[in-house]
Amino acid sequence: MSREAFVNGEYIEYINSKVHIEDRGYQFADGVYEVFAILNSKIVDYEGHIKRLNRSLKELKIASPIQKKSYKFHINEIIKRNIIQDGLVYLQVTRGVASRDFKFPKNSKSSIVIIGKNTPSNYYNNNFNKGIKVKTAKDIRWKRVDIKSLNLLPPVLAKQYAADNGCEEAWLLDDDGYITEGSSSNAWIVKNKTVITRPVSSSILNGITRSTLISSLSKVGYKFIERKFNINDIKDADEAFITSATQFVMPVIAVNNIKIGDGRVGEFSQLFKEIYFKYISLS
Ligand code: PDD
C-alpha cells in the first residue's frame, strides 16, 4: 500500500504530491500548522488542537480552506488511507498561491496539506525509559510564538545546536535568563513535589499536551504552579520533563550536562505520564 496525502481537496499518492512554487508558505512561511498525535487510530485531544488551529488562522487573518467541520473527516481519512495505528498527522494551512508580494493577495485561496505517518512500535516507551538530554540556547524567535506559524527557522537552528551537542531538545532562554519553552515542546520542572511550568503568554505556545496534563494534575489533586524558572531552579530540581503531541510526557535527565536529580528517569515523570494517558481524549 502506498502512502497518501490530502492536498487542496484531493487525495494524492504521497510521492507524487506537489504544491505550487509560489505558495506563500514556501516563500514567506505565511501559514500555520498543527501536529495531532494518533493512538490506536484515534486522534488525541482533537478539540484542543482544532481550537488552536482556528485561533492561529484568525490571528494571521487566513481564511479556513475547508469547512470547520470537515477537518476531522479528512484527518480520519488520512489515518484510514495510511493505516496509521500509532503515529501523527501533520496539517498545514497557508495563505495560498500568489505572485510574490509581501502584502496579502486579494484573490488567493488558502492551501491545505494533510499528511500522516506511523511511528515505530515502542518508539515512545523506549525513549521514555532512556529520557532525553537538553541544551539551552538563546530564544531568538519572533514575539508571537503563541501562534503556531510556519516561521520555524529559530527552532530548527536551536534543535540542530542541541543535536550537535549530543542533546535531543533545546530549552530556549529569554533575555532575563528564564526558560521560555523547548524548541518544539513545553518545559517543566518538579521541585519539592510541586510541578512548575511557565505561564501562558505570547512568549510560549499554549501546548495542548500541557493543558491536558495541567487539568489531569488538578483532577488527581497534584500541586502545580505556573511560574518562570531559570538554570538555578533547574540545578535544584528533583526532576524535569517536556510535553508535546509527539513526545507526550518525556523525562529530561540532564540540562547542559548537569544531571537532574540522580540523572535517571524519575518517579514523577512516570506518574505524570500515567496520569496524562488516563485523561487524554481519543476521538
Ligand atoms: N510542536 N512549544 C512549541 C514551540 C512547539 O512547537 C510545540 C509542539 C509545543 C507543544 O505543543 P503541543 O503539546 O500542542 O504539541 C510547545 C509540535 C509537536 C511540532 O512542531 O512538531
Side-chain angles (χ1 to χ4, degrees), residues 56-108:
S56 299
L57 288 171
K58 201 167 154 222
E59 289 293 323
L60 298 185
K61 300 187 172 68
I62 297 176
S64 180
I66 55 175
Q67 286 196 335
K68 297 215 167 119
K69 59 175 196 272
S70 306
Y71 282 102
K72 200 171 194 177
F73 173 83
H74 291 299
I75 294 169
N76 275 320
E77 201 60 26
I78 284 294
I79 294 171
K80 251 190 273 161
R81 287 173 187 245
N82 293 281
I83 318 180
I84 301 171
Q85 182 74 25
D86 295 331
L88 62 89
V89 166
Y90 174 83
L91 186 156
Q92 175 180 300
V93 175
T94 74
R95 203 179 303 277
V97 176
S99 177
R100 189 175 183 275
D101 181 356
F102 282 72
K103 297 191 302 297
F104 296 175
K106 290 223 163 60
N107 301 314
S108 77

Short mmCIF file of all heavy atoms in Angstrom, two decimals, residues 56-108:
data_model
loop_
_atom_site.label_atom_id
_atom_site.label_comp_id
_atom_site.label_asym_id
_atom_site.label_seq_id
_atom_site.Cartn_x
_atom_site.Cartn_y
_atom_site.Cartn_z
N SER A 56 -4.97 30.33 15.47
CA SER A 56 -3.79 30.73 14.68
C SER A 56 -4.23 31.35 13.36
O SER A 56 -3.71 32.38 12.93
CB SER A 56 -2.89 29.52 14.39
OG SER A 56 -2.41 28.94 15.57
N LEU A 57 -5.23 30.74 12.69
CA LEU A 57 -5.73 31.26 11.40
C LEU A 57 -6.30 32.66 11.60
O LEU A 57 -6.02 33.57 10.82
CB LEU A 57 -6.81 30.33 10.85
CG LEU A 57 -6.33 28.98 10.29
CD1 LEU A 57 -7.53 28.08 9.99
CD2 LEU A 57 -5.49 29.17 9.04
N LYS A 58 -7.06 32.81 12.67
CA LYS A 58 -7.70 34.10 12.94
C LYS A 58 -6.65 35.18 13.20
O LYS A 58 -6.74 36.29 12.67
CB LYS A 58 -8.62 33.93 14.15
CG LYS A 58 -9.68 34.97 14.23
CD LYS A 58 -10.75 34.59 15.25
CE LYS A 58 -11.39 35.89 15.73
NZ LYS A 58 -11.61 35.89 17.16
N GLU A 59 -5.64 34.85 14.01
CA GLU A 59 -4.61 35.84 14.35
C GLU A 59 -3.88 36.31 13.09
O GLU A 59 -3.44 37.44 13.01
CB GLU A 59 -3.59 35.23 15.32
CG GLU A 59 -4.13 34.99 16.73
CD GLU A 59 -4.46 36.28 17.48
OE1 GLU A 59 -3.72 37.27 17.31
OE2 GLU A 59 -5.48 36.31 18.19
N LEU A 60 -3.71 35.41 12.10
CA LEU A 60 -2.98 35.79 10.88
C LEU A 60 -3.93 36.19 9.74
O LEU A 60 -3.49 36.43 8.62
CB LEU A 60 -2.08 34.63 10.43
CG LEU A 60 -0.98 34.23 11.42
CD1 LEU A 60 -0.07 33.17 10.82
CD2 LEU A 60 -0.14 35.43 11.84
N LYS A 61 -5.23 36.22 10.04
CA LYS A 61 -6.25 36.59 9.04
C LYS A 61 -6.17 35.72 7.79
O LYS A 61 -6.19 36.20 6.66
CB LYS A 61 -6.13 38.07 8.67
CG LYS A 61 -6.30 39.02 9.84
CD LYS A 61 -6.34 40.46 9.34
CE LYS A 61 -6.71 41.46 10.41
NZ LYS A 61 -5.70 41.62 11.46
N ILE A 62 -6.03 34.41 8.02
CA ILE A 62 -6.06 33.44 6.91
C ILE A 62 -7.42 32.74 6.97
O ILE A 62 -7.83 32.28 8.04
CB ILE A 62 -4.91 32.40 7.05
CG1 ILE A 62 -3.56 33.10 6.95
CG2 ILE A 62 -5.03 31.30 5.99
CD1 ILE A 62 -2.36 32.18 7.17
N ALA A 63 -8.09 32.68 5.82
CA ALA A 63 -9.40 32.03 5.80
C ALA A 63 -9.22 30.52 5.88
O ALA A 63 -8.26 29.97 5.32
CB ALA A 63 -10.11 32.39 4.51
N SER A 64 -10.15 29.85 6.56
CA SER A 64 -10.07 28.38 6.60
C SER A 64 -10.32 27.84 5.19
O SER A 64 -11.28 28.23 4.53
CB SER A 64 -11.13 27.84 7.57
OG SER A 64 -11.05 26.45 7.61
N PRO A 65 -9.44 26.95 4.69
CA PRO A 65 -9.59 26.46 3.32
C PRO A 65 -10.75 25.47 3.16
O PRO A 65 -11.21 25.23 2.04
CB PRO A 65 -8.26 25.76 3.05
CG PRO A 65 -7.74 25.39 4.41
CD PRO A 65 -8.27 26.40 5.37
N ILE A 66 -11.17 24.87 4.27
CA ILE A 66 -12.28 23.92 4.20
C ILE A 66 -13.25 24.27 5.34
O ILE A 66 -12.89 25.03 6.25
CB ILE A 66 -11.81 22.43 4.35
CG1 ILE A 66 -10.99 22.23 5.63
CG2 ILE A 66 -11.03 21.98 3.12
CD1 ILE A 66 -10.58 20.78 5.90
N GLN A 67 -14.44 23.70 5.28
CA GLN A 67 -15.40 23.96 6.35
C GLN A 67 -14.85 23.42 7.66
O GLN A 67 -14.21 22.36 7.67
CB GLN A 67 -16.71 23.24 6.04
CG GLN A 67 -17.49 23.89 4.93
CD GLN A 67 -18.92 23.38 4.92
OE1 GLN A 67 -19.19 22.27 5.39
NE2 GLN A 67 -19.81 24.16 4.39
N LYS A 68 -15.13 24.13 8.75
CA LYS A 68 -14.54 23.74 10.04
C LYS A 68 -14.86 22.29 10.40
O LYS A 68 -14.02 21.57 10.93
CB LYS A 68 -15.00 24.70 11.13
CG LYS A 68 -14.48 26.10 10.80
CD LYS A 68 -14.11 26.93 11.98
CE LYS A 68 -13.33 28.13 11.48
NZ LYS A 68 -13.94 29.41 11.76
N LYS A 69 -16.07 21.86 10.08
CA LYS A 69 -16.46 20.50 10.48
C LYS A 69 -15.76 19.43 9.61
O LYS A 69 -15.78 18.26 9.96
CB LYS A 69 -17.98 20.33 10.45
CG LYS A 69 -18.62 20.59 9.11
CD LYS A 69 -20.10 20.27 9.22
CE LYS A 69 -20.74 20.12 7.88
NZ LYS A 69 -21.29 21.18 7.15
N SER A 70 -15.14 19.85 8.50
CA SER A 70 -14.51 18.86 7.61
C SER A 70 -13.11 18.44 8.05
O SER A 70 -12.58 17.44 7.56
CB SER A 70 -14.40 19.42 6.19
OG SER A 70 -15.65 19.85 5.75
N TYR A 71 -12.50 19.21 8.96
CA TYR A 71 -11.12 18.86 9.36
C TYR A 71 -11.05 17.43 9.90
O TYR A 71 -10.18 16.65 9.52
CB TYR A 71 -10.61 19.84 10.42
CG TYR A 71 -10.17 21.17 9.84
CD1 TYR A 71 -10.98 22.30 9.93
CD2 TYR A 71 -8.95 21.29 9.19
CE1 TYR A 71 -10.59 23.52 9.39
CE2 TYR A 71 -8.55 22.51 8.64
CZ TYR A 71 -9.37 23.61 8.74
OH TYR A 71 -8.97 24.81 8.19
N LYS A 72 -11.99 17.10 10.77
CA LYS A 72 -11.94 15.78 11.41
C LYS A 72 -12.11 14.67 10.38
O LYS A 72 -11.42 13.65 10.43
CB LYS A 72 -13.02 15.68 12.48
CG LYS A 72 -12.75 14.59 13.48
CD LYS A 72 -13.72 14.71 14.60
CE LYS A 72 -13.30 13.87 15.77
NZ LYS A 72 -14.23 14.05 16.88
N PHE A 73 -13.02 14.90 9.44
CA PHE A 73 -13.25 13.90 8.40
C PHE A 73 -11.94 13.61 7.65
O PHE A 73 -11.56 12.46 7.45
CB PHE A 73 -14.34 14.39 7.43
CG PHE A 73 -14.50 13.49 6.25
CD1 PHE A 73 -15.28 12.34 6.33
CD2 PHE A 73 -13.84 13.77 5.04
CE1 PHE A 73 -15.39 11.49 5.24
CE2 PHE A 73 -13.95 12.92 3.96
CZ PHE A 73 -14.74 11.78 4.05
N HIS A 74 -11.25 14.67 7.21
CA HIS A 74 -10.05 14.48 6.40
C HIS A 74 -8.89 13.89 7.23
O HIS A 74 -8.12 13.08 6.71
CB HIS A 74 -9.64 15.79 5.73
CG HIS A 74 -10.61 16.21 4.67
ND1 HIS A 74 -10.86 15.43 3.55
CD2 HIS A 74 -11.42 17.29 4.56
CE1 HIS A 74 -11.78 16.03 2.80
NE2 HIS A 74 -12.13 17.16 3.40
N ILE A 75 -8.80 14.29 8.49
CA ILE A 75 -7.74 13.69 9.34
C ILE A 75 -8.01 12.19 9.47
O ILE A 75 -7.11 11.36 9.32
CB ILE A 75 -7.68 14.39 10.72
CG1 ILE A 75 -7.24 15.84 10.55
CG2 ILE A 75 -6.74 13.65 11.67
CD1 ILE A 75 -7.41 16.70 11.79
N ASN A 76 -9.28 11.85 9.73
CA ASN A 76 -9.62 10.42 9.85
C ASN A 76 -9.38 9.66 8.56
O ASN A 76 -8.97 8.50 8.57
CB ASN A 76 -11.07 10.25 10.32
CG ASN A 76 -11.16 10.34 11.82
OD1 ASN A 76 -10.29 9.80 12.52
ND2 ASN A 76 -12.16 11.03 12.32
N GLU A 77 -9.63 10.33 7.45
CA GLU A 77 -9.41 9.71 6.15
C GLU A 77 -7.91 9.41 5.95
O GLU A 77 -7.53 8.35 5.45
CB GLU A 77 -9.95 10.67 5.07
CG GLU A 77 -10.27 10.07 3.75
CD GLU A 77 -11.32 8.97 3.76
OE1 GLU A 77 -12.20 8.94 4.65
OE2 GLU A 77 -11.24 8.12 2.85
N ILE A 78 -7.06 10.35 6.35
CA ILE A 78 -5.60 10.15 6.26
C ILE A 78 -5.19 8.98 7.17
O ILE A 78 -4.36 8.14 6.78
CB ILE A 78 -4.84 11.46 6.62
CG1 ILE A 78 -4.92 12.43 5.45
CG2 ILE A 78 -3.39 11.20 7.01
CD1 ILE A 78 -4.19 12.00 4.17
N ILE A 79 -5.80 8.90 8.34
CA ILE A 79 -5.50 7.79 9.25
C ILE A 79 -5.86 6.46 8.59
O ILE A 79 -5.07 5.51 8.57
CB ILE A 79 -6.26 7.97 10.60
CG1 ILE A 79 -5.76 9.21 11.34
CG2 ILE A 79 -6.15 6.72 11.47
CD1 ILE A 79 -6.57 9.59 12.56
N LYS A 80 -7.06 6.43 7.98
CA LYS A 80 -7.55 5.20 7.34
C LYS A 80 -6.71 4.82 6.12
O LYS A 80 -6.23 3.71 5.99
CB LYS A 80 -9.00 5.41 6.88
CG LYS A 80 -9.99 4.63 7.73
CD LYS A 80 -11.37 4.67 7.10
CE LYS A 80 -12.12 5.92 7.57
NZ LYS A 80 -13.24 6.30 6.73
N ARG A 81 -6.52 5.79 5.24
CA ARG A 81 -5.83 5.51 3.97
C ARG A 81 -4.37 5.12 4.17
O ARG A 81 -3.78 4.46 3.33
CB ARG A 81 -5.90 6.73 3.04
CG ARG A 81 -7.27 6.94 2.45
CD ARG A 81 -7.31 8.23 1.68
NE ARG A 81 -8.65 8.53 1.24
CZ ARG A 81 -9.03 8.57 -0.04
NH1 ARG A 81 -8.17 8.37 -1.01
NH2 ARG A 81 -10.27 8.84 -0.36
N ASN A 82 -3.77 5.59 5.28
CA ASN A 82 -2.36 5.27 5.52
C ASN A 82 -2.20 4.20 6.61
O ASN A 82 -1.08 3.93 7.05
CB ASN A 82 -1.60 6.54 5.91
CG ASN A 82 -1.53 7.53 4.75
OD1 ASN A 82 -0.72 7.38 3.85
ND2 ASN A 82 -2.42 8.52 4.76
N ILE A 83 -3.34 3.66 7.04
CA ILE A 83 -3.36 2.64 8.10
C ILE A 83 -2.46 3.05 9.28
O ILE A 83 -1.52 2.35 9.66
CB ILE A 83 -2.99 1.23 7.57
CG1 ILE A 83 -3.66 0.99 6.22
CG2 ILE A 83 -3.39 0.13 8.55
CD1 ILE A 83 -3.37 -0.36 5.59
N ILE A 84 -2.77 4.23 9.82
CA ILE A 84 -1.98 4.71 10.97
C ILE A 84 -2.57 4.13 12.25
O ILE A 84 -3.75 4.31 12.54
CB ILE A 84 -1.96 6.25 11.03
CG1 ILE A 84 -1.37 6.81 9.74
CG2 ILE A 84 -1.15 6.73 12.25
CD1 ILE A 84 -1.48 8.31 9.59
N GLN A 85 -1.73 3.43 12.97
CA GLN A 85 -2.12 2.86 14.25
C GLN A 85 -1.69 3.86 15.33
O GLN A 85 -2.50 4.55 15.93
CB GLN A 85 -1.41 1.50 14.40
CG GLN A 85 -1.73 0.73 15.66
CD GLN A 85 -3.11 0.12 15.64
OE1 GLN A 85 -3.67 -0.13 14.57
NE2 GLN A 85 -3.68 -0.09 16.81
N ASP A 86 -0.38 3.94 15.57
CA ASP A 86 0.18 4.94 16.48
C ASP A 86 1.13 5.80 15.65
O ASP A 86 2.05 5.27 15.01
CB ASP A 86 0.97 4.27 17.61
CG ASP A 86 0.06 3.46 18.51
OD1 ASP A 86 -1.13 3.81 18.62
OD2 ASP A 86 0.53 2.46 19.08
N GLY A 87 0.90 7.10 15.65
CA GLY A 87 1.75 7.97 14.83
C GLY A 87 1.31 9.41 14.96
O GLY A 87 0.88 9.83 16.03
N LEU A 88 1.39 10.11 13.85
CA LEU A 88 0.95 11.51 13.90
C LEU A 88 0.38 11.95 12.56
O LEU A 88 0.64 11.35 11.52
CB LEU A 88 2.11 12.42 14.32
CG LEU A 88 3.35 12.49 13.44
CD1 LEU A 88 3.23 13.56 12.37
CD2 LEU A 88 4.55 12.82 14.33
N VAL A 89 -0.43 13.00 12.66
CA VAL A 89 -0.95 13.66 11.46
C VAL A 89 -0.48 15.11 11.50
O VAL A 89 -0.60 15.79 12.52
CB VAL A 89 -2.49 13.58 11.41
CG1 VAL A 89 -3.05 14.55 10.37
CG2 VAL A 89 -2.94 12.16 11.08
N TYR A 90 0.09 15.56 10.38
CA TYR A 90 0.56 16.94 10.23
C TYR A 90 -0.40 17.66 9.30
O TYR A 90 -0.66 17.19 8.20
CB TYR A 90 1.97 16.93 9.64
CG TYR A 90 2.50 18.31 9.32
CD1 TYR A 90 3.08 19.10 10.31
CD2 TYR A 90 2.42 18.84 8.03
CE1 TYR A 90 3.56 20.37 10.02
CE2 TYR A 90 2.89 20.11 7.74
CZ TYR A 90 3.46 20.87 8.73
OH TYR A 90 3.93 22.13 8.46
N LEU A 91 -0.93 18.80 9.76
CA LEU A 91 -1.89 19.56 8.96
C LEU A 91 -1.37 20.98 8.82
O LEU A 91 -1.01 21.62 9.82
CB LEU A 91 -3.23 19.54 9.69
CG LEU A 91 -4.44 20.15 8.99
CD1 LEU A 91 -5.73 19.54 9.55
CD2 LEU A 91 -4.51 21.65 9.12
N GLN A 92 -1.29 21.46 7.57
CA GLN A 92 -0.74 22.79 7.32
C GLN A 92 -1.68 23.61 6.44
O GLN A 92 -2.22 23.09 5.48
CB GLN A 92 0.60 22.62 6.61
CG GLN A 92 1.24 23.90 6.18
CD GLN A 92 2.57 23.66 5.48
OE1 GLN A 92 3.49 23.11 6.06
NE2 GLN A 92 2.64 24.05 4.23
N VAL A 93 -1.88 24.86 6.83
CA VAL A 93 -2.68 25.77 6.02
C VAL A 93 -1.83 26.99 5.72
O VAL A 93 -1.20 27.55 6.62
CB VAL A 93 -3.96 26.22 6.78
CG1 VAL A 93 -4.72 27.27 5.97
CG2 VAL A 93 -4.86 25.03 7.08
N THR A 94 -1.79 27.41 4.44
CA THR A 94 -1.07 28.65 4.10
C THR A 94 -2.04 29.64 3.47
O THR A 94 -3.17 29.28 3.10
CB THR A 94 0.09 28.40 3.12
OG1 THR A 94 -0.45 28.16 1.82
CG2 THR A 94 0.96 27.24 3.55
N ARG A 95 -1.57 30.87 3.31
CA ARG A 95 -2.43 31.90 2.71
C ARG A 95 -2.68 31.64 1.23
O ARG A 95 -3.50 32.29 0.61
CB ARG A 95 -1.83 33.29 2.94
CG ARG A 95 -2.84 34.41 2.87
CD ARG A 95 -2.20 35.77 3.11
NE ARG A 95 -1.51 35.87 4.36
CZ ARG A 95 -2.08 36.15 5.53
NH1 ARG A 95 -3.37 36.35 5.60
NH2 ARG A 95 -1.38 36.20 6.64
N GLY A 96 -1.96 30.67 0.66
CA GLY A 96 -2.25 30.28 -0.72
C GLY A 96 -1.21 30.73 -1.72
O GLY A 96 -0.11 31.13 -1.35
N VAL A 97 -1.58 30.63 -2.99
CA VAL A 97 -0.64 30.87 -4.09
C VAL A 97 -0.91 32.26 -4.68
O VAL A 97 -2.05 32.60 -4.96
CB VAL A 97 -0.83 29.79 -5.18
CG1 VAL A 97 0.06 30.07 -6.39
CG2 VAL A 97 -0.56 28.41 -4.61
N ALA A 98 0.15 33.04 -4.85
CA ALA A 98 0.03 34.37 -5.48
C ALA A 98 1.40 34.81 -5.93
O ALA A 98 2.41 34.38 -5.36
CB ALA A 98 -0.54 35.37 -4.48
N SER A 99 1.45 35.68 -6.92
CA SER A 99 2.71 36.25 -7.36
C SER A 99 3.36 36.97 -6.17
O SER A 99 2.69 37.67 -5.42
CB SER A 99 2.40 37.24 -8.49
OG SER A 99 3.59 37.85 -8.88
N ARG A 100 4.68 36.79 -6.01
CA ARG A 100 5.34 37.22 -4.77
C ARG A 100 5.16 38.71 -4.48
O ARG A 100 5.56 39.56 -5.26
CB ARG A 100 6.83 36.88 -4.82
CG ARG A 100 7.53 37.11 -3.48
CD ARG A 100 8.98 36.64 -3.51
NE ARG A 100 9.61 36.80 -2.22
CZ ARG A 100 10.17 37.94 -1.80
NH1 ARG A 100 10.20 38.98 -2.60
NH2 ARG A 100 10.72 38.01 -0.61
N ASP A 101 4.52 38.98 -3.33
CA ASP A 101 4.27 40.36 -2.88
C ASP A 101 4.03 40.25 -1.38
O ASP A 101 3.25 39.40 -0.94
CB ASP A 101 3.02 40.90 -3.60
CG ASP A 101 2.70 42.34 -3.20
OD1 ASP A 101 3.39 42.91 -2.32
OD2 ASP A 101 1.72 42.89 -3.76
N PHE A 102 4.70 41.09 -0.58
CA PHE A 102 4.56 40.95 0.87
C PHE A 102 3.11 41.14 1.33
O PHE A 102 2.65 40.46 2.24
CB PHE A 102 5.47 41.96 1.60
CG PHE A 102 6.91 41.52 1.65
CD1 PHE A 102 7.69 41.54 0.51
CD2 PHE A 102 7.48 41.07 2.83
CE1 PHE A 102 9.02 41.13 0.54
CE2 PHE A 102 8.81 40.65 2.86
CZ PHE A 102 9.58 40.68 1.73
N LYS A 103 2.40 42.06 0.69
CA LYS A 103 1.01 42.31 1.11
C LYS A 103 0.14 41.07 0.85
O LYS A 103 0.42 40.29 -0.05
CB LYS A 103 0.42 43.49 0.32
CG LYS A 103 1.14 44.81 0.55
CD LYS A 103 0.36 45.98 -0.04
CE LYS A 103 0.08 45.90 -1.51
NZ LYS A 103 1.27 45.90 -2.40
N PHE A 104 -0.95 40.96 1.62
CA PHE A 104 -1.86 39.82 1.40
C PHE A 104 -2.42 39.89 -0.02
O PHE A 104 -2.84 40.97 -0.46
CB PHE A 104 -3.07 39.87 2.35
CG PHE A 104 -2.76 39.74 3.82
CD1 PHE A 104 -3.78 39.88 4.77
CD2 PHE A 104 -1.48 39.46 4.29
CE1 PHE A 104 -3.52 39.77 6.13
CE2 PHE A 104 -1.22 39.34 5.65
CZ PHE A 104 -2.24 39.50 6.57
N PRO A 105 -2.48 38.78 -0.73
CA PRO A 105 -3.11 38.79 -2.06
C PRO A 105 -4.61 39.00 -1.92
O PRO A 105 -5.21 38.61 -0.91
CB PRO A 105 -2.80 37.40 -2.61
CG PRO A 105 -2.44 36.56 -1.43
CD PRO A 105 -1.98 37.45 -0.34
N LYS A 106 -5.21 39.61 -2.93
CA LYS A 106 -6.66 39.91 -2.84
C LYS A 106 -7.50 38.66 -3.11
O LYS A 106 -8.49 38.42 -2.45
CB LYS A 106 -7.02 41.01 -3.84
CG LYS A 106 -6.44 42.35 -3.42
CD LYS A 106 -7.45 43.49 -3.60
CE LYS A 106 -7.06 44.73 -2.84
NZ LYS A 106 -5.73 45.29 -3.22
N ASN A 107 -7.04 37.85 -4.09
CA ASN A 107 -7.94 36.77 -4.52
C ASN A 107 -7.38 35.37 -4.33
O ASN A 107 -7.82 34.46 -5.00
CB ASN A 107 -8.29 36.96 -6.00
CG ASN A 107 -8.96 38.28 -6.24
OD1 ASN A 107 -9.86 38.63 -5.48
ND2 ASN A 107 -8.51 39.02 -7.23
N SER A 108 -6.44 35.18 -3.45
CA SER A 108 -5.90 33.81 -3.34
C SER A 108 -6.79 32.98 -2.43
O SER A 108 -7.54 33.50 -1.60
CB SER A 108 -4.48 33.85 -2.81
OG SER A 108 -4.51 34.08 -1.43
#
